[in-house]
PDB file of all heavy atoms in Angstrom:
ATOM      1  N   LEU I 154     -17.620   7.981   9.916  1.00 89.00           N
ATOM      2  CA  LEU I 154     -17.038   9.284  10.258  1.00 89.00           C
ATOM      3  C   LEU I 154     -17.402  10.353   9.229  1.00 89.00           C
ATOM      4  O   LEU I 154     -17.610  11.508   9.567  1.00 89.00           O
ATOM      5  CB  LEU I 154     -15.509   9.172  10.338  1.00 89.00           C
ATOM      6  CG  LEU I 154     -14.939   8.498  11.586  1.00 89.00           C
ATOM      7  CD1 LEU I 154     -13.457   8.204  11.405  1.00 89.00           C
ATOM      8  CD2 LEU I 154     -15.146   9.392  12.803  1.00 89.00           C
ATOM      9  N   LEU I 155     -17.455   9.949   7.954  1.00 89.00           N
ATOM     10  CA  LEU I 155     -17.713  10.925   6.890  1.00 89.00           C
ATOM     11  C   LEU I 155     -19.205  11.016   6.570  1.00 89.00           C
ATOM     12  O   LEU I 155     -19.605  11.159   5.427  1.00 89.00           O
ATOM     13  CB  LEU I 155     -16.908  10.567   5.633  1.00 89.00           C
ATOM     14  CG  LEU I 155     -15.397  10.523   5.815  1.00 89.00           C
ATOM     15  CD1 LEU I 155     -14.699  10.151   4.512  1.00 89.00           C
ATOM     16  CD2 LEU I 155     -14.858  11.849   6.333  1.00 89.00           C
ATOM     17  N   ASN I 156     -20.030  10.932   7.611  1.00 83.00           N
ATOM     18  CA  ASN I 156     -21.473  11.068   7.463  1.00 83.00           C
ATOM     19  C   ASN I 156     -21.801  12.479   6.977  1.00 83.00           C
ATOM     20  O   ASN I 156     -21.308  13.464   7.515  1.00 83.00           O
ATOM     21  CB  ASN I 156     -22.117  10.803   8.829  1.00 83.00           C
ATOM     22  CG  ASN I 156     -23.613  10.686   8.753  1.00 83.00           C
ATOM     23  OD1 ASN I 156     -24.263  11.497   8.100  1.00 83.00           O
ATOM     24  ND2 ASN I 156     -24.160   9.685   9.411  1.00 83.00           N
ATOM     25  N   SER I 157     -22.656  12.558   5.948  1.00 79.00           N
ATOM     26  CA  SER I 157     -22.851  13.860   5.313  1.00 79.00           C
ATOM     27  C   SER I 157     -23.858  14.747   6.052  1.00 79.00           C
ATOM     28  O   SER I 157     -23.926  15.944   5.798  1.00 79.00           O
ATOM     29  CB  SER I 157     -23.306  13.666   3.873  1.00 79.00           C
ATOM     30  OG  SER I 157     -24.569  13.054   3.871  1.00 79.00           O
ATOM     31  N   ALA I 158     -24.640  14.170   6.971  1.00 79.00           N
ATOM     32  CA  ALA I 158     -25.663  14.975   7.651  1.00 79.00           C
ATOM     33  C   ALA I 158     -25.015  16.071   8.497  1.00 79.00           C
ATOM     34  O   ALA I 158     -23.948  15.888   9.059  1.00 79.00           O
ATOM     35  CB  ALA I 158     -26.522  14.074   8.532  1.00 79.00           C
ATOM     36  N   GLN I 159     -25.704  17.236   8.556  1.00 78.00           N
ATOM     37  CA  GLN I 159     -25.167  18.355   9.319  1.00 78.00           C
ATOM     38  C   GLN I 159     -26.216  18.884  10.285  1.00 78.00           C
ATOM     39  O   GLN I 159     -27.366  18.476  10.245  1.00 78.00           O
ATOM     40  CB  GLN I 159     -24.724  19.477   8.373  1.00 78.00           C
ATOM     41  CG  GLN I 159     -23.631  19.048   7.419  1.00 78.00           C
ATOM     42  CD  GLN I 159     -23.349  20.100   6.356  1.00 78.00           C
ATOM     43  OE1 GLN I 159     -23.205  21.281   6.663  1.00 78.00           O
ATOM     44  NE2 GLN I 159     -23.290  19.678   5.115  1.00 78.00           N
ATOM     45  N   GLY I 160     -25.778  19.815  11.138  1.00 74.00           N
ATOM     46  CA  GLY I 160     -26.706  20.456  12.067  1.00 74.00           C
ATOM     47  C   GLY I 160     -27.242  19.474  13.092  1.00 74.00           C
ATOM     48  O   GLY I 160     -26.496  18.721  13.686  1.00 74.00           O
ATOM     49  N   GLU I 161     -28.573  19.477  13.270  1.00 73.00           N
ATOM     50  CA  GLU I 161     -29.225  18.648  14.283  1.00 73.00           C
ATOM     51  C   GLU I 161     -28.915  17.167  14.149  1.00 73.00           C
ATOM     52  O   GLU I 161     -28.629  16.484  15.114  1.00 73.00           O
ATOM     53  CB  GLU I 161     -30.752  18.829  14.170  1.00 73.00           C
ATOM     54  CG  GLU I 161     -31.258  20.157  14.661  1.00 73.00           C
ATOM     55  CD  GLU I 161     -31.213  20.229  16.176  1.00 73.00           C
ATOM     56  OE1 GLU I 161     -32.049  19.570  16.816  1.00 73.00           O
ATOM     57  OE2 GLU I 161     -30.321  20.926  16.713  1.00 73.00           O
ATOM     58  N   ASN I 162     -28.970  16.690  12.903  1.00 73.00           N
ATOM     59  CA  ASN I 162     -28.826  15.250  12.684  1.00 73.00           C
ATOM     60  C   ASN I 162     -27.392  14.819  12.428  1.00 73.00           C
ATOM     61  O   ASN I 162     -27.130  13.703  12.002  1.00 73.00           O
ATOM     62  CB  ASN I 162     -29.666  14.820  11.489  1.00 73.00           C
ATOM     63  CG  ASN I 162     -31.116  15.204  11.655  1.00 73.00           C
ATOM     64  OD1 ASN I 162     -31.664  15.041  12.738  1.00 73.00           O
ATOM     65  ND2 ASN I 162     -31.713  15.743  10.609  1.00 73.00           N
ATOM     66  N   ALA I 163     -26.473  15.744  12.637  1.00 75.00           N
ATOM     67  CA  ALA I 163     -25.085  15.454  12.268  1.00 75.00           C
ATOM     68  C   ALA I 163     -24.586  14.173  12.917  1.00 75.00           C
ATOM     69  O   ALA I 163     -24.928  13.860  14.055  1.00 75.00           O
ATOM     70  CB  ALA I 163     -24.199  16.619  12.668  1.00 75.00           C
ATOM     71  N   GLY I 164     -23.790  13.423  12.163  1.00 78.00           N
ATOM     72  CA  GLY I 164     -23.154  12.239  12.700  1.00 78.00           C
ATOM     73  C   GLY I 164     -21.674  12.302  12.396  1.00 78.00           C
ATOM     74  O   GLY I 164     -21.210  13.213  11.705  1.00 78.00           O
ATOM     75  N   GLY I 165     -20.949  11.337  12.904  1.00 82.00           N
ATOM     76  CA  GLY I 165     -19.540  11.237  12.581  1.00 82.00           C
ATOM     77  C   GLY I 165     -18.741  12.480  12.896  1.00 82.00           C
ATOM     78  O   GLY I 165     -18.953  13.137  13.913  1.00 82.00           O
TER      79      GLY I 165
END
Side-chain angles (χ1 to χ4, degrees):
Chain I
L154 284 169
L155 300 180
N156 190 315
S157 65
Q159 299 171 47
E161 287 287 287
N162 304 317

